[in-house]
């Protein structure tokens, strides 16, 4: 019996030596690893905030609270924090993907969620505005318009709808059309587009095309 007790005591000592950091030392955070592509969020600020955890007892960190804190950043869609024992904290970040700027006040991501960072300074992003419809309706309208204008290789940069008035800014021209007639009038324009671009009008530097006329259109 005594030999058995000595044997298990010896095993415990060996086990304790190999796991000294866990049983006899404070497991403080020595390294923080961030995972995920950061295109829009301030990576330097994120790293600075996380670096404050260096030296903290790793098992004393409230992971749920830290997750909530990180997700307060408008650019962070979700955060996951994992403890890689004994002293590494892994932070996985999924960033929001902005699809367009809505009414010049906030962005809309690829899931249709509105979010507002401190600065709205993204360049070359689609702008959608409306005083009468919500962002879901307007994005569907944009996708329908995109299909139409792709037939003549025009890229939409901005759309604005105010009741029945619809203004569409493309890579070359700005179109004015009544929303109630937009599909018919744009399709009419598409049928004569080749003639239009070869006409004298385009050589004068046409910028605005008004499709609100009962027949034809006006250019400026």
């Amino acid at each position: 019996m005594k030999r058995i007790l000595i044997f298990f005591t010896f095993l415990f000592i060996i086990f304790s030596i190999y796991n000294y950091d866990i049983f006899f030392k404070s497991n403080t955070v020595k390294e923080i690893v961030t995972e995920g592509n950061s295109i829009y969020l301030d990576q330097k600020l994120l790293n600075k905030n996380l670096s404050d955890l260096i030296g903290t007892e790793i098992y004393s960190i409230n992971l749920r609270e830290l997750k909530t804190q990180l997700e307060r950043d408008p650019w962070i869609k979700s955060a996951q924090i994992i403890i890689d024992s004994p002293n590494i904290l892994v932070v996985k970040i999924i960033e929001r993907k902005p699809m367009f700027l809505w009414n010049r006040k906030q962005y809309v991501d690829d899931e249709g969620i509105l979010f507002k960072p401190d600065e709205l300074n993204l360049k070359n992003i689609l702008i959608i505005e409306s005083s009468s419809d919500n962002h879901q309706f307007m994005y569907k309208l944009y996708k329908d318009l995109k299909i139409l204008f792709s037939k003549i290789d025009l890229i939409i940069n901005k759309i604005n709808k105010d009741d029945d008035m619809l203004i569409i800014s493309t890579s070359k021209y700005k179109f004015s059309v009544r929303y109630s007639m937009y599909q018919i009038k744009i399709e009419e324009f598409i049928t004569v587009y080749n003639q239009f671009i070869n006409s004298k009008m385009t050589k004068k530097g046409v910028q605005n095309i008004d499709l609100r006329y009962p027949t034809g259109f006006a250019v400026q």
Side-chain angles (χ1 to χ4, degrees), residues 135-148:
H135 66 281
Q136 292 100 336
F137 175 90
M138 289 298 296
Y139 188 62
K140 182 181 182 306
L141 173 60
Y142 160 74
K143 290 193 290 186
D144 293 340
L145 290 167
K146 182 180 178 181
I147 293 172
L148 286 172

Side-chain angles (χ1 to χ4, degrees), residues 35-37 41 75-80 92-97:
E35 298 180 359
N37 294 328
L41 66 86
W75 283 113
I76 296 179
K77 180 179 179 180
S78 66
Q80 182 182 10
K92 298 182 179 182
I93 297 293
I94 297 178
E95 193 177 50
R96 294 191 184 279
K97 297 178 181 178

Side-chain angles (χ1 to χ4, degrees), residues 69-184:
Q69 179 184 343
L70 292 174
E71 290 176 352
R72 289 195 185 104
D73 186 323
W75 283 113
I76 296 179
K77 180 179 179 180
S78 66
Q80 182 182 10
I81 299 92
I82 300 170
I83 292 176
D84 187 359
S85 185
N87 49 34
I88 299 175
L89 201 64
V90 180
V91 179
K92 298 182 179 182
I93 297 293
I94 297 178
E95 193 177 50
R96 294 191 184 279
K97 297 178 181 178
M99 300 297 289
F100 61 93
L101 178 61
W102 170 243
N103 279 338
R104 298 184 184 272
K105 294 180 180 179
Q106 50 199 329
Y107 293 122
V108 179
D109 71 8
D110 56 341
E111 293 185 349
I113 305 298
L114 293 163
F115 68 102
K116 185 177 181 181
D118 293 335
E119 296 182 357
L120 302 171
N121 55 5
L122 292 185
K123 297 179 180 179
N124 302 319
I125 189 168
L126 172 67
I127 299 172
I128 299 180
E129 299 174 325
S130 178
S131 61
S132 54
D133 299 280
N134 62 36
H135 66 281
Q136 292 100 336
F137 175 90
M138 289 298 296
Y139 188 62
K140 182 181 182 306
L141 173 60
Y142 160 74
K143 290 193 290 186
D144 293 340
L145 290 167
K146 182 180 178 181
I147 293 172
L148 286 172
F149 282 102
S150 66
K151 297 176 183 178
I152 51 177
D153 295 324
L154 292 181
I155 298 172
I156 298 173
N157 300 321
K158 175 185 173 182
I159 61 173
N160 182 295
K161 181 177 178 293
D162 185 5
D163 293 325
D164 198 39
M165 180 65 183
L166 180 61
I167 298 175
I168 308 153
S169 298
T170 73
S171 50
K172 289 185 179 180
Y173 313 113
K174 179 186 286 187
F175 295 84
S176 299
V177 64
R178 297 197 182 282
Y179 168 74
S180 54
M181 296 289 292
Y182 83 85
Q183 187 161 355
I184 294 173

Side-chain angles (χ1 to χ4, degrees), residues 44-61:
K44 290 183 179 179
L45 179 61
L46 175 64
N47 291 340
K48 181 180 179 298
N49 291 336
L50 290 174
S51 67
D52 292 341
L53 295 171
I54 297 292
T56 303
E57 171 62 44
I58 199 165
Y59 292 105
S60 71
I61 297 172

